[in-house]
Structures are given as C-alpha cells and as structure tokens.
Amino acid sequence: MALLSVDDLHVELQTNRGMVPAVRGVSFAVEAGGTLGVVGESGCGKSITALALMGLLPEGARVRGRIDLGGTDLLGLSEDEMCHVRGNRIAMIFQEPMTSLNPVHRIGRQIAEPLRLHRGLRGANARDEVLRLLDRVGLPDPAKRIDAYPHQMSGGQRQRVMIAMALSCEPDILLADEPTTALDVTIQGQILDLINELVDDSGMGLILISHDLGVIGETTDNVAVMYGGSMVEQGPTDSLFEHLAHPYSQGLFAAVPRVGERHDGPLHTIPGTVPELADLPPGCAFADRCAKASDVCWGPAPGMAEVGAAHHAACHHLGGAV
Amino acid sequence: MSETVLHTVGLRRQFTLPRESLFRPPETVFALNGVDLSIQRGRSLGVVGESGCGKSTLARLCMALDTPTAGHVEVLGRDLSQLSAMELRQARAQFQMVFQDPYGSLDPRHTVRRIVGETLEALAPRQGDGTSGVSREEAIGQAIDAVGLRRNDLDKYPHEFSGGQRQRIAIARALVTRPSLIVADEPVSALDVSVQAQVLNLMQELQQDFGVTYMLISHDLGVVDYVCDEVAVMYLGRVVELAGRAQLFAKPCHPYTKALFDAVPRIGAGRRSGADRASTLQGSVSSQTRQITGCAFADRCPRAESRCLDEAPELRRIDDGHMASCHFA
C-alpha cells in the first residue's frame, strides 16, 4: 500500500471564461521514502495538482477523484481536519523564497509556528527545536541567524529556512514546487543535495515539481510528464529518460540545449505554443502540435498503456514512437 | 574581414548605496571591476555568471544606458562616452537590446507596428532615411517577416501574443534598424522549454541572414553553448575565464568555471549519491560592497592558498584564444 496515492484527480478552476479543466484525470502513487518528479511546461497543471494535495486550491475550484494519504481520503476532510494534515503530514516548499516568508517576522518565529500548532512546543523547547532544524538544513551559525529577518538572508538561505519549516513536523510527504528555479546554479546544487540527503535520512516521500529535466533526473526515482492537465508518460526516471515513448516527452527532451552536446543543425523544436487550458483540443491535448498526429488523435483521448517495466505512456501512436 | 564591433576597455562601475548611518560613509557596490572584452563582426559572445556577477550592468554599459565609473565602450571603433547626445542617438541604430521579460518590455497599449516602428522613428526621424530608400512600412514588414510573424499581426496588441511570440516582437524591434550589435539579456529564460528552442533557432538564423553580432547574457550554460562562439565567465564583476566555446566546455581552467559546469544538473546521470554531493560548491557569492584584494573567488575555491588572498590573479593566456585568471590555471 502506497503512502500517498492519487486516483483520477480532476480539478476545475473558475475563470472569467467559466469553469476550466486544469487537471484532467491524474493518478500516481508515492511510497514512503520514494521520490516522484513531475515535469511539464507552464499551464500543464503540475502546480494545481500540488495545491490540490495541500487543499490550497483557489476559491471556486471543483475537485473530483481521490487523494489517499495513509488510508484517509484528503478530499473528504473538512477544513479544520485538513489544517491538521497540512504542514504536519504533508508539507510544501514553494518556488519563491522571497515571497513565501513573512517579511515582518523573524525567521525563528516563523519556523516555530508549525511546532506550536502541531507539536505543542512552547518557549525554550520550541527555540531549541528551531535551532536543531536550522542546523539540520545547513544554515551557518543558527544561534545568530534565528533572530534574523528574511530580508537579511540570501535566496539560498531563505530556501533553507523554508525547508526547515517544511521539515519541522516530520511530514510523511514533502511537496517541492520548483524549489530551485529562483536560485543560481551553484546554490541550486546545494539545495538539491540537501533535499536528497533529507529524503535518504528521514524516509519521507518527495514530490518534486520542475520544468528542468536535469533537476528531476538528479533528484527522483520516478517521473511523470504532464501536458495539458493530464499525465502523458510515467515511469522510473532512468528507463523513462532512456526510452522516451510519448512524442511530447521526446520533443521536450530534444528541445533542451545541453552543455557540450552541440549539434551543428538547429535545435529540435515543438511547433506552436503551450495551449490555454480553456482551449484544449478534444482528443489528445498534444494533437495539434504533434508530428505524428492522425485522425484517431482527434477522437477519444488515449489511455495509459504499458511501454516497459512500470513505464506507461498515453499515445495512440506508441508502436511507431518507440 | 574581422572588424571589432564591440570593444570595452577597463570597464568599471560602482554604485553608491543610500547612507545607512550618519557616522559612516555610504557603502559602495563594486558591480564591475575592470572588464576588457571585444567581439568581432558576425561572432557571438556569451556572458555567463551567477546573479550579482555584473553581467547585466555590463549589458547596460555597452548599450550606453548607463555611464561607466572608469573605462569606456567602443562600438564600431567609436568611443560612446565621447559622443554628443545627438550623435549617440544616431549611433544607437547600430546597437540594440533584447530584454529578458517579454511581458514587461513591450508597451501594452501600443500596436506591434508602433512598437517595432518606434525605433525607426526615434533613430532616423526623416522618412525613408537610414533605411536605404526602403519606406518605413517596408522596413517594419521585413523585420516582422524575419522573426517569423505575419504582416497582419502588425495591428495587434502585445496581449494577443504568447511569450515566445512577444520575444519575437522584441527581436523585430531590435532588428528593424539593421544594427551591427544586438545585446540580449537572458532572452529565453522567461520562456517554456519548447518555445525557448524556437527563439534560439531564430537568433541563429538571423545571425546567418543579417550578419548580426550578439552579446548573449545568460545563466544557462546550455543556451550559451548552443548560440555562442566565445564565452566569458564572470564572477564578482570580473571576467575570470574567456575562451572559444569548444575549448571552454572541453577544458575549463578556472575553478569557478569547473564548479559552474559541475553544478548543472545533467539528464540521465541518475540520482545524486553522497559522493557526488561532496563536489558541490559551498557558500555563496561574497559581498559586492567590499573591495577585494586577492582573488575574488578565493573564499569558495577548493584550491585556494594564502597567495590567493593577497595577490589578485591577472587574466592571462593559457592556450591559443583561452584566457583565465587563476594562479593555478
């Protein structure tokens, strides 16, 4: 039994053009100590999936499906009950360490907040625990920095504070939404190392959302590729990157310029642009940009089919693609 | 054949911070500390480095959007600081810029025709002049064709376009005066991967068709590797390594360049284990408000010795067309 399993999750968001499907039938599972990477471009539904797990969807959103965390369906919980899960059993790290910390509170107080709320720690006990956490995430000189304000820290340090906060209640699942996108490469390396180390040590499950295939490759054991609100390919990271089955995954992979692998021809491109969620084509969402598209692609959307060991893809033309 | 399009000599720029205390002098940010670069016609130079290394300040100085504290910039052999306001205005037709954010850099209330045409209006005020007899409308049309948009897009507004298309409009705006030099500051970092490739391919095509010279500023080594002939690596306002693309990526000499390469996550390398993690560069870029006597990288460098703290290494020749500033290179 997986620690977290998401089954046929649908999310519709309220926009000025009516209800728009942002996530369309996403299913995945994360074991304790397992790592799942979610890749996709903007508007593919990866962040909305994360917000649905946290119960933080914008007002007016409609959710269907099942999010099972250790036997409880999170979608069936009331807001009060969800407050005990959020930050306690599932914690999240956001992309922008600049805006996700409160600028008017010292970081020590911000990290202590979940400790007070979920673990009932007070005063000196809470402070000791905060110091231990800051030390754990590798912030230099925690005894001094505990009373600093967020603006007195660099981007990488702020992200370490965010991670300390997420870890404070020893969550079962850590959700990281583009945790290193706003950081420089050398700092990104440090933060990814830290996340890897914490997952290895604590045995929590990790869901890492990123548009950067390299970050996903170095941090996760399993990967899911999303496009237009659905998962188009899913499998173990190594075998998926070795045998990309879906035309979108292949295109995405080929479009990344990589150091030291310059070819003399132009870079491979995917024609067109990422679709607006409100204008998704009826069948396969990728059909209008796909080189392999035929009449069948405009009909019913393709289901997930097995293409390798634990490796699935949703495409009508898998035979020709592999 | 080889004509120098851009040449910077000992470029320095310091910014004075607001005074924080009545009893101390205001602090100074040393953004650029002596940068000498040159780019030959039709070539492209990539400038890489982390935030705070001075790459955007360098771009602004080259575009004469800011004046250097010391040193000067020459475009096509003319020292920009010696030009009068009027001359500078006309000279701007020769160098144009593409900015990072295609959402913020286009006026939302102007049509594409006006956005692209405004450059002509400002730089060559007389009708037809400066565009070798072709009418202004034709010049705008040609620029929009060149970037792969349609002429009936000219009457649309920026919000009707996607991020990639907006970046094409920004490139058309830079291209319309037929400049010799285009400085692009992170032109694709705001775009999705699949769209990024389209814009990079376009930049390469334009270079072949129009012989434009590029200075491409990016934090993404892959992008620089794909577009550029030469690469300058910057750290705290200095060029620490300068070499041809192939040479640099095959044999980086400066420890910072090596660390930068190692830090780029590789696809298919598998999950990072404990041993790989040991190689990650520790610490972060030190303060820019300090005048550094020795090597700027010494406090993070795995090879640093006492000499590095006292003596600043010169940018010296390592190999043919390969320069690095490190005592151990």
Side-chain angles (χ1 to χ4, degrees), chain B residues 241 248 251-255 257-258 303 318 322 324 326 328-329:
Chain B
E241 190 160 2
L248 185 80
K251 205 173 113 243
C253 287
H254 197 281
T257 316
K258 285 182 191 151
R303 298 188 58 181
I318 306 292
H322 194 155
C326 176
F328 306 108

Side-chain angles (χ1 to χ4, degrees), chain A residues 42 184 186 190 193 260 267 270, chain B residues 50-51 192 198 225 280-281:
Chain A
S42 53
D184 282 321
T186 56
Q190 295 169 8
D193 285 354
L267 269 180
I270 305 176
Chain B
E50 297 180 280
S51 49
D192 276 315
Q198 296 170 8
D225 186 20
T280 307
L281 195 60

Side-chain angles (χ1 to χ4, degrees), chain A residues 115-283:
Chain A
L115 295 174
R116 274 203 315 275
L117 223 59
H118 298 299
R119 289 171 59 186
L121 292 178
R122 294 280 184 278
N125 289 342
R127 196 173 167 92
D128 288 347
E129 181 63 12
V130 171
L131 285 174
R132 191 189 66 80
L133 286 165
L134 286 178
D135 191 48
R136 182 69 197 86
V137 297
L139 194 79
D141 206 358
K144 229 177 185 175
R145 302 314 296 269
I146 189 170
D147 292 317
Y149 287 97
H151 75 264
Q152 294 170 313
M153 315 190 108
S154 68
Q157 288 173 336
R158 275 182 259 199
Q159 202 58 295
R160 285 179 196 270
V161 170
M162 283 299 297
I163 295 175
M165 213 187 284
L167 288 177
S168 57
C169 294
E170 290 160 12
D172 300 328
I173 294 282
L174 179 66
L175 267 169
D177 188 0
E178 305 265 9
T180 58
T181 308
L183 305 175
D184 282 321
V185 251
T186 56
I187 309 296
Q188 163 171 298
Q190 295 169 8
I191 297 292
L192 291 179
D193 285 354
L194 174 65
I195 292 177
N196 267 324
E197 198 185 308
L198 293 170
V199 168
D200 287 349
D201 291 357
S202 68
M204 63 184 170
L206 171 75
I207 300 176
L208 178 83
I209 297 174
S210 181
H211 69 281
D212 187 325
L213 296 165
V215 168
I216 296 279
E218 285 197 350
T219 321
T220 61
D221 300 322
N222 288 291
V223 67
V225 183
M226 284 187 77
Y227 186 82
S230 335
M231 277 189 185
V232 295
E233 191 165 356
Q234 197 174 359
T237 309
D238 295 339
S239 60
L240 186 137
F241 280 170
E242 217 161 284
H243 296 286
L244 295 157
H246 197 279
Y248 174 66
S249 320
Q250 292 167 353
L252 193 66
F253 203 75
V256 185
R258 257 164 281 172
V259 180
E261 289 181 28
R262 173 150 148 167
H263 308 288
D264 285 327
L267 269 180
H268 177 86
T269 61
I270 305 176
T273 54
V274 181
E276 291 276 333
L277 288 170
D279 309 320
L280 283 180

